[in-house]
C-alpha cells in the first residue's frame, strides 16, 4: 500500500478500474482574492485507503478537502473522481456529492429535525427513497454510531460528540464511496473526542475510503494508511505514519511535529 | 403669518394695549408681523377684558382647507372667503390670526374638547345637532346642496337625478361629517354612501370611478367643477339655505360675543360683501 | 313624486307660455292639485346605519309641497303622526321659487299647536308659484317605529277650506335598536348624569356612547380584520420571492427587488394608498375598493417582510446549507427543507410584529373611504363631538395587539432560552485554527 502513490499510471479519462485511484488530484490551485491558499496539489487516493492530512493552521488542508466535493471552487487544476473530471463545467455537482460524504467541524446538524430525520432528509429528497426505507436505513446508521436510543432527540438535546456521530450517520446513510472528515473532533470537549474517533476507526476497519483532516496524532498513527503533511498550500511530505512521524525528511515537518508533541 | 412664541410677547403686549384703546397713542408693535393696528380702536368697544384664547393675542381657527372657495391651501397659504374673513375678524379684534389644519369631521369635536383651536371656521353650516355641541356665531354666508356626476354619465341626468340618485346601484361620495353626508342620507337613503375625510378626495373618487356622484355644498361643488373637475357637472341642487357660521366652544361666550361683534361690524361696513365678491368670482 | 313635478316645471319654462296658462287653469279648476306633496322625510338619526330613522331619538321632519301660481294659500296644517313629539321653537318655513327652485323666500306666519296639529297661518296669502318647505325640529318618533304618515290640509284665499294635500309619502321609522335603548336608559340614570357632568369623563368615556358606538365600531373591526386576514398571508409568498431576488447572484433581479423594497419602505404608506386609490383609476385601472385596499396593504407589507426574511435567511449559519449541499441536495431543496424551516422559526416574532403594524395601518385606509375601524368611530365622533368612539376603537385594536405582543414576547424568550440550552449541553470551544480563508 505505501508505495501505491507511485503507481500514477492511468491517464485521466481512461476506463476506470479497481486499480485506478478513486480520487486523483492534479495540480490543484485555489486563491481567495490575492491569497493563494493551494499552490499546486497533486495527489492520488485509492479505494479503501485512509489518508490523514496534517498541517498547521492556514496550510490549506481544509480548503483542499472542501475542493474535493466542490464546496470550494478550485481556481485551476483537475479533480478526477471515479474516472470523472468533476471540475468540468457541465458536471452535475449534486450527483458527485451523493457519493462523497462529508463531516464538518461544527457538525451542522439541522436543528429543526430530530436525529432520525436528520439522517432521513437527504435520503428521501436526493435518493428518492421511501419514508419507510429511509427510516430503516437511518435507524441502522444511528445504531452503527451507537445512538439508536437517541433517534427522537433534537440536536440541541445531544452532546457535541453525539451530534457529530449523528452527522456521520447522516453522511453514511447516503452510501458514499468516500468520506471526508474536516476536523471532525476539533470542536469537541476532550472527553467526547474518543467516541467519535472510535466510530471513525470502525469505519476505516470496514474498508471505507477516508480523507481525514485532523489534529489527532494518535488517530493518524493508528489508523492512517498514509499521512500527508501540508504547509503553505503544498504537500511537503507524505508517507506511512512510521515514515512521517518517526523519520520526517523535511525540516518543516519536524518543526510541526515537535510543536504538536510539546502541547 | 405664523409667529413664534418668543416673537409674540411684545406683540401680545401691543395687542393688549390696543384692546384697551391705547393703540392710537403710538404703541409700536416690535415685530414685523402683520400687527393689528388699524382697526384696533374699534375693538375697544367690544372687549373690555382679555379674551380666553389658546395663545394669548392670537385667534386660532380650526379649518379643513379642502373646500374652495371657502378654505383652500394655495402654495401653502390659506386662501378663500373663510380665511379672509378670519383674518378680518382677528384684525378687527386686534389679534393675530392663525389657522390650524384639522379634517372637517374633527373640527366640531376639536372645539368641544378644546386645546387645539379657539374657533372652527370651515364652511360649517349651523345644524341643531351641532348646536348641541358648540355655539355658533351669526351666519356670514348661505349655501345650498348640490350633487355632481361625470358629464358623460348618461344614467344620472338633470331630468332624473332625484330618483336616479336614490338607487342601490349608486354610490355617493361625501365629506365625512358634512351636511352633504346628512343630505344624501336623508334624500337618497337607498344609495351607498362613501365618506371621505377630505372633500377634494370625494371629487377624485367620482373621477376615479369609485363613486357615481358627489354631494356637498353648492358653492364648493361649483368651484371644484370650475377648477380641477371640469368633466363633472351638477345634476341636482336643493335650496337648503344652510347658514355658515363660526363654531365656538360653549365655554367661551366672551369669544362668541367678540366674534359676533366683529361679524356685525364687517357686515355693516361692507367688508363681508367685498370678500364674498372677491372670492366667488 | 318629486321628479315628475320638477321636470314638469322645466318643461313649462322651456315650452310655450300657452301651455303654462293651460296647466295653471287646469290646476285652479281642480283644487285638489293646487297644493301637492313634493317630499316628506325624516332625518336619519341612527349611528348604526346613516340612512335609518329610529324612534325615540332626535330627528326632524322636512315637508315640502308645491303651490301653483295665484293659489293664495292662507293656512297650512300639518298633522304630525300620533305618538310623535315635536317642538316648534326652531320651525323653518321657506318658499322656494324660480325655475330651478333655488330662490329662498322668507314667509311670515304665526304658528299654533293643537295636539298633533301644527297650523301655520300666513300673514299674506302665498300667490307665488313654488315649493313651500317646512322643517320641524326636535322630532321624536314613537319608540316602536312604523310607517309615519304626516297629513296636511290647507286653506286658500278664495275660500277653499281644509283641502287635503294628497299623496304625502310615509316616513319609515324603525324601532329603536337594543343598544340605543340601553343608551337612552343610561342617559336617564343619575350616576351617568353625574359621570357625564365631568367634562373629561364625558369626552372620553361617555357610557351612553360606549354602548351605542360598540356595535357600529364592531363592523369596522370586522372590516379591518378582513383586510389583514387576506393581505398578510398573501404578503408572505411575495416577500419570499423578493427576499430570494435580493439574495440572488443576478444583479438585475437583485436590482429590481432592491429598488422596490427601498421605494416602498422609503415612502409613507399613506402616500401609497393615495397613489393606488386615485392614481390607478386615472391610469384606467379600476379595482374595487376592498381588493384594492388589500393589494396596497399586501404590497406594502411584503417589502417589510422581505427584509425580515432576508435577514432571517442570512442569519442561518452557512454550515447548514453546506451540510445540505454536501449531502447532494440542490439549491431549491436546501432552501425548502433546511434554510426556510429554520428561518421561519427565527422570524416569527418579527412577523408577529409586522402583523400588528399592518393591522394598525389599516386605519390609514379611512382616508380613501374604506369603512374600517377608525372611519366608523370617526363618523360618530363627528356627529356627537365626543372622543368616546375613538376609545372604543382603541379597545378593538388592543384586543388584537396586546395578546399578540405577549405571544411575540413569549416566542422571543423561548428562542433565547433555546439557544442557552443548546450551549449548555454542547459547549463549543473556539473552533480550532485553520483560519478559513487565509
Amino acid at each position: 500500500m505505501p508505495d501505491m502513490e507511485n503507481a500514477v499510471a492511468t491517464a485521466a479519462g481512461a476506463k476506470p478500474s479497481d486499480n485506478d485511484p478513486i480520487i486523483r488530484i492534479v495540480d490543484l490551485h485555489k486563491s481567495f482574492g490575492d491569497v493563494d491558499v493551494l499552490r499546486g496539489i497533486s495527489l492520488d487516493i485509492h479505494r479503501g485507503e485512509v489518508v490523514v492530512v496534517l498541517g498547521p493552521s492556514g496550510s490549506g488542508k481544509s480548503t483542499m478537502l472542501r475542493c474535493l466535493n466542490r464546496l470550494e471552487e478550485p481556481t485551476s487544476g483537475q479533480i478526477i473522481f471515479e474516472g470523472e473530471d468533476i471540475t468540468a463545467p457541465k458536471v452535475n455537482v449534486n450527483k458527485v456529492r451523493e457519493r462523497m460524504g462529508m463531516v464538518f467541524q461544527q457538525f451542522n446538524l439541522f436543528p429543526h429535525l430530530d436525529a432520525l430525520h436528520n439522517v432521513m432528509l437527504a435520503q428521501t429528497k436526493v435518493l428518492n427513497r421511501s419514508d419507510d426505507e429511509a427510516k430503516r436505513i437511518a435507524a441502522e446508521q444511528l445504531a452503527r454510531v451507537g445512538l439508536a436510543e437517541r433517534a427522537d432527540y433534537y440536536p440541541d438535546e445531544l452532546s457535541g460528540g453525539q451530534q457529530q456521530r449523528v452527522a456521520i450517520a447522516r453522511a453514511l446513510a447516503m452510501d458514499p464511496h468516500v468520506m471526508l472528515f474536516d476536523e471532525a473532533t476539533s470542536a469537541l470537549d476532550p472527553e467526547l473526542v474518543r467516541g467519535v474517533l472510535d466510530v471513525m476507526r470502525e469505519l476505516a476497519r470496514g474498508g471505507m475510503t477516508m480523507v481525514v483532516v485532523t489534529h489527532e496524532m494518535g488517530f493518524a498513527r493508528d489508523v492512517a494508511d498514509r499521512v500527508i503533511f501540508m504547509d503553505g498550500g503544498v504537500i511537503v511530505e507524505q508517507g506511512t505514519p512510521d515514515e512521517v512521524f518517526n523519520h520526517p525528511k523535511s525540516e518543516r515537518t519536524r518543526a510541526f511535529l515537535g510543536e504538536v508533541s510539546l502541547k | 403669518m405664523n409667529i413664534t412664541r418668543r416673537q409674540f410677547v411684545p406683540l401680545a403686549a401691543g395687542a393688549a394695549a390696543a384692546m384697551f384703546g391705547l393703540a392710537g397713542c403710538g404703541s409700536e408693535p416690535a415685530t414685523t408681523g402683520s400687527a393689528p393696528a388699524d382697526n384696533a380702536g374699534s375693538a375697544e368697544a367690544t372687549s373690555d377684558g382679555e379674551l380666553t384664547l389658546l395663545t394669548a393675542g392670537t385667534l386660532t381657527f380650526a379649518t379643513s382647507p379642502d373646500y374652495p372657495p371657502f378654505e383652500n391651501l394655495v402654495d401653502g397659504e390659506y386662501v378663500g372667503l373663510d380665511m379672509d374673513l378670519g383674518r378680518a375678524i382677528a384684525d378687527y379684534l386686534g389679534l393675530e390670526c392663525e389657522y390650524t389644519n384639522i379634517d372637517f369631521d374633527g373640527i366640531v369635536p376639536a372645539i368641544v374638547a378644546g386645546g387645539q383651536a379657539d374657533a372652527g371656521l370651515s364652511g360649517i353650516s349651523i345644524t341643531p345637532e351641532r348646536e348641541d355641541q358648540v355655539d355658533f356665531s351669526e351666519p356670514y354666508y348661505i349655501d345650498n346642496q348640490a350633487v355632481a356626476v361625470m358629464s358623460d354619465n348618461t344614467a344620472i341626468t338633470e331630468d332624473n337625478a332625484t330618483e336616479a340618485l336614490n338607487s342601490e346601484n349608486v354610490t355617493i361620495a361625501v365629506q365625512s361629517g358634512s351636511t352633504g353626508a346628512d343630505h344624501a342620507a336623508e334624500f337618497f337613503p337607498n344609495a351607498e354612501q362613501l365618506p371621505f375625510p377630505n372633500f377634494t378626495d370625494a371629487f377624485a373618487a367620482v373621477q376615479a370611478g369609485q363613486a357615481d356622484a358627489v354631494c356637498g355644498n353648492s358653492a364648493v361643488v361649483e368651484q371644484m367643477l370650475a377648477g380641477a373637475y371640469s368633466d363633472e357637472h351638477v345634476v341636482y341642487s336643493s335650496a337648503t339655505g344652510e347658514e355658515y357660521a363660526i363654531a365656538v366652544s360653549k365655554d367661551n361666550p366672551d369669544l362668541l360675543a367678540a366674534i359676533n361683534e366683529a361679524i356685525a361690524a364687517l357686515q355693516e361696513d361692507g367688508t363681508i360683501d367685498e370678500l364674498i365678491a372677491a372670492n366667488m368670482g | 313624486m318629486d321628479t315628475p313635478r320638477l321636470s314638469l316645471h322645466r318643461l313649462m319654462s322651456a315650452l310655450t307660455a300657452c301651455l303654462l296658462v293651460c296647466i295653471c287653469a287646469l290646476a285652479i279648476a281642480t283644487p285638489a292639485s293646487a297644493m301637492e306633496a313634493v317630499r316628506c322625510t325624516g332625518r336619519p338619526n341612527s349611528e348604526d346605519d346613516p340612512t335609518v330613522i329610529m324612534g325615540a331619538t332626535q330627528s326632524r321632519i322636512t315637508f315640502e309641497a308645491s303651490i301653483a301660481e295665484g293659489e293664495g294659500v292662507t293656512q297650512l296644517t300639518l298633522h304630525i303622526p300620533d305618538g310623535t313629539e315635536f317642538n316648534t321653537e326652531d320651525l323653518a318655513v321657506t318658499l322656494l321659487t324660480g325655475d330651478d327652485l333655488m330662490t329662498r323666500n322668507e314667509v311670515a306666519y304665526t304658528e299654533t299647536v293643537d295636539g298633533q296639529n301644527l297650523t301655520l297661518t300666513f300673514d299674506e296669502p302665498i300667490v307665488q308659484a313654488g315649493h313651500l318647505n317646512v322643517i320641524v325640529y326636535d322630532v321624536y318618533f314613537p319608540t316602536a317605529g312604523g310607517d309615519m304618515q304626516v297629513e296636511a290640509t290647507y286653506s286658500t284665499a278664495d275660500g277653499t277650506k281644509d283641502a287635503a294635500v294628497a299623496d304625502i309619502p310615509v316616513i319609515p321609522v324603525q324601532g329603536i335598536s337594543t343598544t340605543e335603548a340601553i343608551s337612552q336608559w343610561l342617559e336617564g340614570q343619575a350616576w351617568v348624569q353625574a359621570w357625564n357632568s365631568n367634562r373629561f369623563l364625558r369626552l372620553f368615556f361617555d357610557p351612553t356612547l360606549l354602548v351605542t358606538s360598540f356595535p357600529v365600531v364592531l363592523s369596522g373591526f370586522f372590516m379591518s380584520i378582513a383586510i389583514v386576514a387576506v393581505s398578510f398571508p398573501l404578503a408572505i409568498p411575495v416577500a419570499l420571492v423578493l427576499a430570494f431576488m435580493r439574495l440572488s447572484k443576478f444583479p438585475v433581479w437583485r436590482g429590481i427587488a432592491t429598488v422596490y423594497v427601498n421605494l416602498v419602505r422609503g415612502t409613507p404608506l399613506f402616500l401609497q394608498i393615495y397613489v393606488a386609490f386615485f392614481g390607478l383609476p386615472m391610469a384606467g385601472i379600476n379595482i374595487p375598493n376592498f381588493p384594492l385596499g388589500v393589494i396596497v396593504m399586501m404590497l406594502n407589507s411584503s417589502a417589510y417582510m422581505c427584509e425580515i426574511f432576508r435577514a432571517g435567511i442570512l442569519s442561518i449559519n452557512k454550515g447548514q446549507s453546506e451540510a445540505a449541499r454536501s449531502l447532494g441536495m440542490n439549491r431549491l431543496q436546501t432552501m425548502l427543507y433546511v434554510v426556510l424551516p429554520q428561518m421561519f422559526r427565527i422570524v416569527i416574532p418579527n412577523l408577529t410584529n409586522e402583523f400588528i403594524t399592518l393591522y394598525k395601518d389599516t386605519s390609514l385606509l379611512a382616508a380613501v373611504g374604506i369603512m374600517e375601524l377608525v372611519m366608523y368611530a370617526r363618523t360618530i365622533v363627528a356627529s356627537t363631538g365626543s372622543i368616546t368612539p375613538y376609545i372604543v376603537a382603541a379597545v378593538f385594536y388592543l384586543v388584537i395587539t396586546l395578546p399578540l405582543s405577549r405571544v411575540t414576547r413569549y416566542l422571543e424568550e423561548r428562542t433565547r432560552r433555546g439557544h442557552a440550552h443548546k450551549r449548555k449541553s454542547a459547549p463549543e470551544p473556539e473552533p480550532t485554527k485553520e483560519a478559513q480563508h487565509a
Side-chain angles (χ1 to χ4, degrees):
Chain A
M1 264 258 179
D3 48 355
M4 273 247 223
E5 82 223 54
N6 300 322
V8 187
T10 341
K15 273 248 154 83
S17 79
D18 276 358
N19 289 333
D20 292 337
I22 188 166
I23 297 174
R24 162 166 289 183
I25 306 172
V26 184
D27 195 26
L28 180 66
H29 285 255
K30 173 69 183 173
S31 339
F32 293 103
D34 293 341
V35 186
D36 298 328
V37 181
L38 299 180
R39 299 187 297 175
I41 305 274
S42 294
L43 180 67
D44 283 3
I45 295 159
H46 295 269
R47 274 177 212 285
E49 196 181 13
V50 177
V51 176
V52 172
V53 184
L54 299 176
S57 298
S59 60
K61 53 194 195 300
S62 273
T63 306
M64 182 197 75
L65 200 68
R66 290 163 61 84
C67 282
L68 289 185
N69 69 352
R70 287 192 42 200
L71 281 183
E72 301 292 356
E73 285 301 321
T75 308
S76 69
Q78 272 186 315
I79 298 168
I80 291 113
F81 175 48
E82 299 192 317
E84 179 190 14
D85 180 359
I86 62 167
T87 51
K90 54 186 187 301
V91 160
N92 182 345
V93 73
N94 297 321
K95 286 281 163 216
V96 172
R97 286 170 180 157
E98 284 174 27
R99 291 174 281 144
M100 258 195 226
M102 187 162 193
V103 176
F104 299 85
Q105 182 177 354
Q106 299 297 337
F107 334 135
N108 295 341
L109 287 188
F110 307 133
H112 59 296
L113 301 176
D114 63 19
L116 187 73
H117 286 85
N118 259 280
V119 183
M120 285 172 64
L121 182 66
Q123 293 187 61
T124 54
K125 304 304 175 196
V126 177
L127 301 180
N128 294 319
R129 287 179 184 155
S130 69
D131 262 24
D132 286 345
E133 191 189 2
K135 191 174 276 178
R136 181 179 56 77
I137 293 171
E140 272 171 30
Q141 295 298 345
L142 283 175
R144 186 173 177 186
V145 299
L147 290 173
E149 309 283 276
R150 295 283 189 268
D152 58 348
Y153 279 49
Y154 280 85
D156 66 354
E157 298 168 320
L158 297 169
S159 75
Q162 289 169 334
Q163 287 189 59
Q164 192 60 296
R165 280 145 64 193
V166 173
I168 294 171
R170 181 174 67 178
L172 290 175
M174 304 296 287
D175 298 329
H177 301 180
V178 176
M179 284 287 285
L180 311 175
F181 291 86
D182 187 6
E183 310 213 24
T185 57
S186 299
L188 297 177
D189 284 350
E191 70 271 19
L192 300 174
V193 169
R194 207 192 145 126
V196 174
L197 290 182
D198 285 348
V199 168
M200 290 167 67
R201 217 172 247 127
E202 199 55 43
L203 210 52
R205 203 166 298 152
M208 174 65 75
T209 310
M210 293 164 66
V211 184
V212 182
V213 170
T214 188
H215 292 270
E216 295 293 335
M217 296 302 159
F219 179 84
R221 270 180 210 279
D222 296 353
V223 183
D225 294 315
R226 184 157 41 127
V227 173
I228 307 245
F229 176 69
M230 278 181 70
D231 194 11
V234 294
I235 295 175
V236 176
E237 185 164 353
Q238 56 178 310
T240 61
D242 179 59
E243 284 166 359
V244 175
F245 285 112
N246 300 334
H247 313 287
K249 295 182 206 112
S250 145
E251 190 54 42
R252 276 192 280 173
T253 315
R254 258 194 297 270
F256 173 74
L257 291 173
E259 234 172 74
V260 172
S261 59
L262 279 178
K263 277 185 183 169
Chain B
M1 200 71 228
N2 292 340
I3 54 169
T4 66
R5 212 167 265 273
R6 197 168 306 138
Q7 277 177 311
F8 169 70
V9 177
L11 184 67
M19 273 191 265
F20 285 101
L22 303 173
C25 312
S27 125
E28 287 170 20
T31 63
T32 52
S34 52
D38 322 26
N39 289 332
S42 53
E44 166 192 20
T46 43
S47 30
D48 49 3
E50 286 276 350
L51 290 172
T52 312
L53 295 172
L54 208 58
T55 311
T58 299
L59 187 52
T60 309
F61 290 108
T63 194
S64 176
D66 53 6
Y67 219 58
F70 296 97
E71 42 269 321
N72 197 14
L73 279 172
V74 174
D75 300 331
E77 286 292 319
Y78 287 90
V79 301
L81 170 60
D82 287 354
M83 305 295 92
D84 290 344
L85 177 65
R87 281 187 272 263
I89 290 172
D91 208 31
Y92 177 86
L93 296 175
L95 298 168
E96 268 295 313
C97 177
E98 222 179 273
Y99 290 108
T100 180
N101 186 341
I102 296 179
D103 279 348
F104 184 76
D105 60 7
I107 291 178
V108 169
I111 299 302
V112 173
Q116 294 212 64
D118 299 309
L121 175 53
S122 196
I124 309 173
S125 304
I126 302 176
T127 68
E129 294 77 21
R130 288 176 185 152
E131 277 182 312
D132 287 347
Q133 302 167 40
V134 291
D135 281 340
F136 277 103
S137 71
E138 291 302 316
Y140 58 86
Y141 190 80
I142 292 177
D143 205 354
N144 300 314
Q145 288 291 327
V147 175
V149 301
M150 294 301 289
S151 303
D152 57 9
N153 187 331
T154 51
I156 305 171
T157 61
E158 281 186 54
D159 295 328
N160 70 0
T162 316
E163 276 165 0
L165 285 170
N166 190 18
S167 152
E168 277 157 30
N169 304 324
V170 170
T171 302
I172 303 179
V174 296
Q175 182 170 34
S176 165
S178 70
T179 48
D182 292 345
H183 191 84
E186 181 167 353
F187 296 108
F188 314 116
N190 293 333
E192 195 189 324
Q193 202 172 97
L194 191 59
F196 289 86
N198 199 307
F199 197 40
T200 39
D201 291 345
F203 288 85
V206 173
Q207 205 99 96
Q210 286 181 38
D212 303 298
V214 51
C215 179
N217 282 130
S218 300
V220 182
V221 171
E222 272 154 25
Q223 183 75 19
M224 292 284 200
L225 267 44
Y229 301 98
S230 53
D231 45 1
E232 297 174 24
H233 72 148
V234 173
V235 291
Y236 163 100
S237 25
S238 174
T240 54
E242 292 158 42
E243 297 172 323
Y244 287 5
I246 298 175
V248 181
S249 164
K250 285 186 185 295
D251 299 338
N252 204 346
D254 290 347
L255 179 61
L256 182 70
I259 288 177
N260 274 335
E261 178 85 26
I263 290 177
L266 295 170
Q267 201 83 262
E268 185 91 344
D269 68 8
T271 308
I272 291 185
D273 288 338
E274 273 171 37
L275 294 182
I276 290 175
N279 283 289
M280 305 293 167
Chain C
M1 34 280 64
D2 183 351
T3 319
R5 195 69 208 179
L6 255 170
S7 42
L8 201 58
H9 271 272
R10 296 223 165 81
L11 264 171
M12 281 196 275
S13 60
L15 294 175
T16 60
C18 163
L19 190 59
L20 181 96
V21 169
C22 290
I23 288 169
C24 285
L26 205 70
I28 294 163
T30 43
S33 66
M35 196 161 180
E36 278 187 359
V38 173
R39 63 166 54 132
C40 183
T41 56
R43 182 184 185 275
N45 53 12
S46 163
E47 267 141 23
D48 302 7
D49 181 338
T51 59
V52 165
I53 308 162
M54 286 189 312
T57 310
Q58 193 181 50
S59 181
R60 70 163 189 248
I61 293 175
T62 304
F63 173 87
E64 197 170 311
S66 62
I67 293 177
E69 171 121 37
E71 194 54 43
V73 174
T74 52
Q75 199 178 59
L76 175 70
T77 301
L78 290 180
H79 178 80
I80 308 293
D82 293 334
T84 301
E85 293 171 33
F86 63 98
N87 187 337
T88 55
E89 206 174 295
D90 291 321
L91 202 61
V93 181
T94 317
L95 183 67
L96 307 176
T97 58
D99 281 351
D100 54 359
L101 295 168
M102 292 303 284
T103 312
R104 295 173 61 87
N105 306 278
E106 290 296 321
V107 180
Y109 62 93
T110 47
E111 86 253 15
T112 50
V113 176
D114 176 20
Q116 292 303 107
N117 284 338
L118 167 63
T119 302
L120 308 174
T121 308
F122 304 111
D123 295 4
E124 301 282 335
I126 302 171
V127 291
Q128 232 182 322
H131 283 187
L132 184 66
N133 179 295
V134 180
I135 301 177
V136 185
Y137 287 97
D138 262 346
V139 169
Y140 289 83
F141 291 107
T143 312
D147 281 349
M148 297 294 129
Q149 177 69 64
V150 174
E151 289 158 20
T153 54
Y154 67 96
S155 305
T156 59
D158 63 7
T160 310
K161 269 253 172 260
D162 297 332
V165 179
D167 300 331
I168 300 175
V170 294
I171 303 173
V173 175
Q174 291 191 2
I176 189 170
S177 69
T178 321
T179 50
E180 276 295 335
I182 297 172
S183 166
Q184 289 188 1
W185 176 81
L186 278 173
E187 217 168 337
Q189 301 301 301
W191 71 269
V192 174
Q193 282 160 5
W195 174 282
N196 278 349
S197 67
N198 178 305
R199 177 190 168 79
F200 173 81
L201 292 178
R202 186 185 70 242
L203 276 182
F204 289 86
F205 303 102
D206 183 341
T208 63
L209 272 177
L210 282 178
V211 173
T212 46
S213 51
F214 188 85
V216 184
V217 179
L218 183 68
S219 36
F221 173 71
F222 290 138
M223 174 59 103
S224 293
I225 288 289
I227 292 169
V228 268
V230 181
S231 56
F232 188 80
L234 287 179
I236 292 176
V238 177
L240 272 178
V241 169
L242 284 171
F244 292 151
M245 286 171 76
R246 288 212 67 181
L247 293 167
S248 161
K249 285 185 294 192
F250 303 104
V252 177
W253 289 21
R254 219 165 48 220
I256 293 172
T258 306
V259 166
Y260 175 80
V261 167
N262 286 338
L263 221 67
V264 171
R265 286 169 26 118
T267 55
L269 174 55
F270 200 61
L271 199 76
Q272 294 160 18
I273 289 172
Y274 262 68
V275 169
F277 275 76
F278 298 123
L280 287 186
M282 287 183 190
I285 305 164
N286 276 299
I287 305 171
N289 251 343
F290 179 79
L292 186 56
V294 165
I295 291 170
V296 178
M297 299 310 279
M298 183 270 277
L299 289 178
N300 177 274
S301 194
S302 65
Y304 286 90
M305 268 192 221
C306 161
E307 290 304 276
I308 294 175
F309 288 154
R310 191 172 74 107
I313 290 171
L314 289 176
S315 78
I316 306 292
N317 195 319
K318 201 170 159 239
Q320 288 293 316
S321 49
E322 284 188 349
R325 301 303 304 276
S326 79
L327 290 164
M329 292 169 73
N330 61 31
R331 275 172 194 286
L332 184 66
Q333 290 169 330
T334 303
M335 195 44 93
L336 283 182
Y337 304 118
V338 176
V339 176
L340 289 188
Q342 296 185 51
M343 184 275 289
F344 270 108
R345 261 158 218 236
I346 294 172
V347 301
I348 277 177
N350 287 327
L351 276 191
T352 318
N353 280 333
E354 176 57 29
F355 183 90
I356 291 173
T357 306
L358 190 66
Y359 174 52
K360 289 188 293 184
D361 281 351
T362 55
S363 59
L364 296 175
L365 291 170
V368 288
I370 288 191
M371 291 303 288
E372 51 62 71
L373 249 172
V374 165
M375 198 63 207
Y376 272 107
R378 230 181 135 126
T379 53
I380 314 177
V381 169
S383 66
T384 60
S386 169
I387 308 300
T388 310
Y390 284 149
I391 303 295
V392 174
V395 170
F396 277 113
Y397 281 107
L398 292 172
V399 159
I400 297 293
T401 56
L402 280 188
L404 275 184
S405 305
R406 282 197 75 92
V407 169
T408 312
R409 214 167 329 142
Y410 166 76
L411 289 173
E412 275 168 351
E413 253 158 45
R414 205 186 61 168
T415 316
R416 241 194 327 270
R417 265 205 314 278
H419 282 299
H421 176 51
K422 189 174 178 175
R423 230 168 285 139
K424 206 183 287 170
S425 73
E428 290 164 339
E430 279 302 295
T432 353
K433 334 298 162 327
E434 187 110 33
Q436 276 247 343
H437 300 144

